[in-house]
Amino acid sequence: MASRSLGGLSGSRGGCKKSLSARNAAVERRNLITVCRFSVKTLIDRSCFETIDDSSPEFNNFAAILEQILSHRLKGQITWFGYESPRSFWDYIRVACRKVSQNCICSIENMENVSSSRAKGRAWIRVALMEKHLSEYISTALRDFKTTRRFYEDGAIVLGEEANMLAGMLLGLNAIDFSFCLKGEGLDGNFPAVIDYTPYLKFTQSSDSISSDEEELRTLGSSGSESSTPENVGPPFIMDENSWFNKCKRVKQKYQLTLEQKNKILLQRIEDSDLAHKLEKEQLEYIIVELQDQLKSYQSLDQLSAEVSLSQASLDPGQSQEGDGKQDTLNLISEDQLRRLPPAMSAVSSNQLKALKGELISAFKERIPISTSDSQHLLRNSMRTFI
């Protein structure tokens, strides 16, 4: 009887250990998946205000969470001597993700500054995020169930129902533009990744507890112990599904409003640029028309000057003969006809004669055709005006 009771006790203890181990594994999986979902939401929220890089605490926490998820219950590597050496999740990723088109596996394997397997895995997370293909890598690796089964033990997250949730929540990271340096300290594989749970903790306080706390604070305030009174007293930090949904909705509305404002500014700039180009085009067309008119006027002047020179060249012989005849006529008027003036002209002064001679000369210079008889007649009429 005693032996039977001892056997039953040992069997119950074994069953309790198994149930406790299963509970712990389930709690661990649930915790990692939940904190990963919160981490993705905080990354999306933070990306609306600043660029996500290696210095972002939200990204460092997300990278640590993803690394622990992919390392959850990962099998060790059996050596030739039968010992089991620890593995990194990169050993699984480089085998299961080779089917991804245009993958970065070979480029990470050939990186000179990354030597350890853990550092290569961290570099792969950063490159996949910058390429916006992290969800595709994870989905492809999880579909290769044979390879996943070979690398992980029973109870691993990648072998459970949580794996499909993981691939779905990582899909939202494709909307973020990441910027990482693959030579920084974040790739150091000598230190394990540590998750900071404090940003994701929530504490729901009951109404009775809140009222008792307020009463206690009033008591402390009335006693005059101001130093013992906390400075910041506010409502408890509650972050449930509805609050996250409302926050994401507000961020989305703010992002859409910002995007619309940017589009309006861009359209206004485009319209201003088009108007400036149109005005500049009209000015250039006006300048071109003006230059064409000037060119035509210059061409007409050149043509006119050419015609004048040609006409002068053709008229030079006659003009020389006409000039000689006019000079002879002037000499005739100045010498012969002035000597034959009547006695009544003796009272005409020399200045008046010179003026008369100048008028005759200017008339001949203007090429007025006057014969010798006409010149004598003109001279007589002129003399009558002086008498």
Side-chain angles (χ1 to χ4, degrees):
M1 292 291 293
S3 62
R4 287 182 181 177
S5 61
L6 290 173
L9 183 61
S10 62
S12 62
R13 287 180 178 177
C16 290
K17 286 183 179 179
K18 288 182 179 180
S19 62
L20 184 60
S21 177
R23 176 192 173 278
N24 292 339
V27 170
E28 186 178 9
R29 291 195 302 269
R30 187 168 63 250
N31 288 342
L32 286 175
I33 291 296
T34 303
V35 77
C36 184
R37 185 174 71 251
F38 289 158
S39 177
V40 170
K41 290 180 179 179
T42 54
L43 271 177
I44 295 174
D45 191 6
R46 180 61 60 181
S47 66
C48 296
F49 306 100
E50 61 183 23
T51 304
I52 305 298
D53 53 12
D54 296 281
S55 62
S56 176
E58 290 82 6
F59 165 73
N60 293 326
N61 217 24
F62 167 76
I65 293 168
L66 184 61
E67 185 174 340
Q68 289 203 15
I69 289 175
L70 295 177
S71 301
H72 183 248
R73 301 186 71 84
L74 183 66
K75 292 181 180 179
Q77 187 175 6
I78 306 299
T79 62
W80 289 97
F81 300 100
Y83 297 103
E84 185 178 357
S85 62
R87 270 179 173 173
S88 172
F89 70 93
W90 171 248
D91 299 328
Y92 163 69
I93 291 297
R94 68 177 181 176
V95 176
C97 295
R98 288 192 179 275
K99 295 180 181 179
V100 178
S101 60
Q102 299 179 356
N103 60 75
C104 59
I105 305 297
C106 295
S107 61
I108 293 177
E109 287 283 0
N110 298 328
M111 291 178 67
E112 297 179 354
N113 61 318
V114 179
S115 57
S116 65
S117 179
R118 181 184 292 175
K120 290 180 180 179
R122 293 174 179 176
W124 167 77
I125 292 175
R126 287 161 170 78
V127 173
L129 286 173
M130 287 190 291
E131 292 180 349
K132 304 181 185 299
H133 290 161
L134 182 60
S135 178
E136 183 181 358
Y137 279 110
I138 297 296
S139 300
T140 304
L142 294 178
R143 283 196 296 267
D144 191 356
F145 187 75
K146 184 177 180 180
T147 303
T148 306
R149 193 75 180 173
R150 180 162 57 92
F151 277 88
Y152 289 92
E153 299 177 356
D154 293 337
I157 294 178
V158 295
L159 292 175
E161 297 178 355
E162 298 86 356
N164 296 326
M165 297 173 58
L166 177 64
M169 70 179 65
L170 294 179
L171 189 62
L173 298 177
N174 294 344
I176 303 176
D177 294 328
F178 294 92
S179 177
F180 300 119
C181 177
L182 300 180
K183 297 181 181 180
E185 297 178 356
L187 301 181
D188 190 3
N190 297 326
F191 301 98
V194 179
I195 302 174
D196 183 13
Y197 290 94
T198 54
Y200 317 116
L201 296 177
K202 68 177 181 178
F203 173 68
T204 306
Q205 194 173 9
S206 63
S207 58
D208 297 336
S209 177
I210 293 173
S211 61
S212 62
D213 288 345
E214 291 177 352
E215 186 177 356
E216 184 178 356
L217 289 173
R218 292 194 200 98
T219 304
L220 292 173
S222 61
S223 63
S225 57
E226 297 179 356
S227 60
S228 62
T229 305
E231 296 180 357
N232 298 324
V233 178
F237 181 72
I238 302 174
M239 297 298 289
D240 53 1
E241 292 291 336
N242 292 329
S243 62
W244 275 110
F245 177 76
N246 294 330
K247 187 176 182 179
C248 292
K249 189 176 180 180
R250 289 195 301 270
V251 171
K252 183 180 179 181
Q253 292 176 354
K254 187 182 295 184
Y255 177 76
Q256 289 179 350
L257 181 62
T258 305
L259 185 61
E260 290 176 357
Q261 292 177 354
K262 288 183 178 179
N263 290 336
K264 289 181 180 179
I265 294 173
L266 183 60
L267 290 175
Q268 185 64 31
R269 289 180 179 176
I270 292 174
E271 291 178 358
D272 295 341
S273 179
D274 292 340
L275 181 60
H277 288 317
K278 187 176 180 180
L279 294 175
E280 186 177 359
K281 183 180 179 182
E282 291 178 355
Q283 291 178 357
L284 291 175
E285 290 178 352
Y286 176 77
I287 293 173
I288 290 173
V289 171
E290 187 176 358
L291 290 175
Q292 289 177 351
D293 294 339
Q294 292 181 2
L295 182 61
K296 289 179 180 179
S297 63
Y298 290 149
Q299 289 178 353
S300 61
L301 288 175
D302 293 340
Q303 185 178 1
L304 181 61
S305 62
E307 292 177 356
V308 169
S309 60
L310 182 61
S311 62
Q312 287 179 354
S314 60
L315 296 175
D316 276 342
Q319 288 178 355
S320 60
Q321 293 176 1
E322 184 182 356
D324 294 339
K326 289 180 177 180
Q327 187 64 30
D328 296 338
T329 305
L330 289 174
N331 294 331
L332 178 62
I333 292 172
S334 59
E335 294 178 1
D336 297 337
Q337 294 183 358
L338 291 177
R339 289 176 183 175
R340 298 176 183 177
L341 291 174
M345 295 294 294
S346 59
V348 180
S349 64
S350 62
N351 292 331
Q352 292 175 344
L353 291 174
K354 289 181 180 179
L356 177 61
K357 184 177 180 181
E359 291 178 2
L360 293 174
I361 292 173
S362 61
F364 283 109
K365 285 185 178 180
E366 292 177 0
R367 298 182 180 181
I368 299 173
I370 300 174
S371 61
T372 305
S373 60
D374 293 334
S375 62
Q376 293 176 357
H377 180 68
L378 179 61
L379 179 60
R380 295 189 185 95
N381 293 333
S382 300
M383 291 303 165
R384 291 192 188 98
T385 59
F386 287 103
I387 301 172

